[in-house]
Amino acid sequence: MGDAVRQELVSRQLDEQIVARYPVGQRLRILDVGMGRGVQALRLARAGHAITGLEGDAESLRLAQEALSTEPAGIRERVRMIEGDGRDTGVHFTPGSFDVVLCHGVLMASAEPEGVLAGLARMLAPGGLLSLVVRNADALAMGPGLAGDWERTLAALEPDAAGYTDRRGVPLRADRLEHLTATLAGIAAPLHAWYGVQVFSEWSTTGQDGAPPEPLERLLAAEDRAGRRDPYRRVAALLHLCGVRG
């Protein structure tokens, strides 16, 4: 259920930013970098937008193409999928080609996040929206702390802690709000709004060990409210940052 909750929360937040910036009904040019299986790409195509998906993992790209193939022809013609990653934008596209650029979960595996973000910002038209989802480095102690793993908790509380291991055992990076705020300002796409994603559900044990899960709508309502306000959003598992190209 975690992925469904995450996708729904990010969708709501992204739609809120799009509606606030563009006239209703405008067909936007959207680039989804690291689109995975195409959840956001297909959702936005169904809403009438022109989507370009960039994905470096061949299996994820295959699954996204397979999902696209089941859509009506009118939606399929709005979507273009390319094999590549966030470092390849300058190879495939000219600067200013997109109204919206999505970069969801990409920086977690990036060794050069500033370079990737600078390249993505160049793809935006003036006034364009950059939607960025990252792991929250300031909340790395929450999971092990609530699980009672004090060794990992103390390690995550070190001032320079900026990495974690996912459920597959893969080491990944995390980012801090203050650092990304400075980075976005430096690439001429300053932070416009930000949200916490999975304030509660990432850490909760509800639904495990045979306990019944909370109704999804109530969970989403709580997550949606908490993700918009301090202090809750600052301990969310993920951060959703929205920058606007100057």
Side-chain angles (χ1 to χ4, degrees):
M1 187 171 69
D3 185 62
V5 170
R6 180 167 57 253
Q7 294 286 3
E8 176 61 25
L9 290 169
V10 171
S11 296
R12 293 181 182 189
Q13 296 158 1
L14 178 60
D15 288 349
E16 179 178 84
Q17 293 300 315
I18 288 175
V19 168
R21 297 202 63 77
Y22 299 102
V24 175
Q26 180 176 341
R27 184 180 184 181
L28 301 175
R29 302 163 298 164
I30 299 178
L31 172 63
D32 188 356
V33 175
M35 68 174 177
R37 299 184 180 188
V39 173
Q40 291 294 332
L42 293 180
R43 183 185 72 83
L44 290 163
R46 294 183 196 114
H49 304 299
I51 311 299
T52 300
L54 194 63
E55 176 54 54
D57 179 70
E59 177 62 11
S60 294
L61 181 61
R62 183 189 68 78
L63 291 170
Q65 291 169 333
E66 187 176 282
L68 178 62
S69 70
T70 66
E71 297 287 336
I75 294 175
R76 293 199 306 271
E77 68 185 15
R78 298 186 198 125
V79 181
R80 175 189 179 201
M81 295 184 179
I82 302 171
E83 186 168 359
D85 61 33
R87 297 168 297 180
D88 298 336
T89 52
V91 175
H92 297 290
F93 318 113
T94 58
S97 297
F98 298 96
D99 303 301
V100 180
V101 172
L102 312 184
C103 181
H104 297 172
V106 173
L107 295 194
M108 299 170 189
S110 176
E112 45 184 35
E114 289 82 3
V116 170
L117 289 177
L120 299 184
R122 285 193 290 271
M123 297 301 107
L124 284 169
L129 178 69
L130 174 62
S131 172
L132 176 64
V133 176
V134 301
R135 188 74 175 190
N136 183 10
D138 288 324
L140 291 177
M142 292 296 293
L146 291 170
D149 185 339
W150 306 120
E151 182 176 352
R152 288 179 57 220
T153 301
L154 289 168
L157 288 169
E158 290 295 323
D160 59 349
Y164 69 103
T165 301
D166 71 4
R167 293 182 177 89
R168 301 165 297 170
V170 177
L172 298 170
R173 62 172 287 113
D175 290 281
R176 288 185 163 79
L177 174 65
E178 289 75 14
H179 176 74
L180 286 175
T181 300
T183 299
L184 291 173
I187 61 174
L191 184 67
H192 175 73
W194 70 278
Y195 308 85
V197 179
Q198 291 187 278
V199 176
F200 308 116
S201 55
E202 178 74 5
W203 323 122
S204 175
T205 58
T206 302
Q208 298 180 18
D209 301 323
E214 279 293 303
L216 182 58
E217 284 307 314
R218 285 201 294 176
L219 168 60
L220 289 169
E223 288 280 9
D224 186 59
R225 291 186 192 180
R228 299 168 181 272
R229 65 179 73 170
D230 292 327
Y232 304 106
R233 61 181 177 171
R234 289 188 174 270
V235 294
L238 305 170
L239 299 177
H240 182 193
L241 291 78
C242 298
V244 174
R245 180 71 171 174

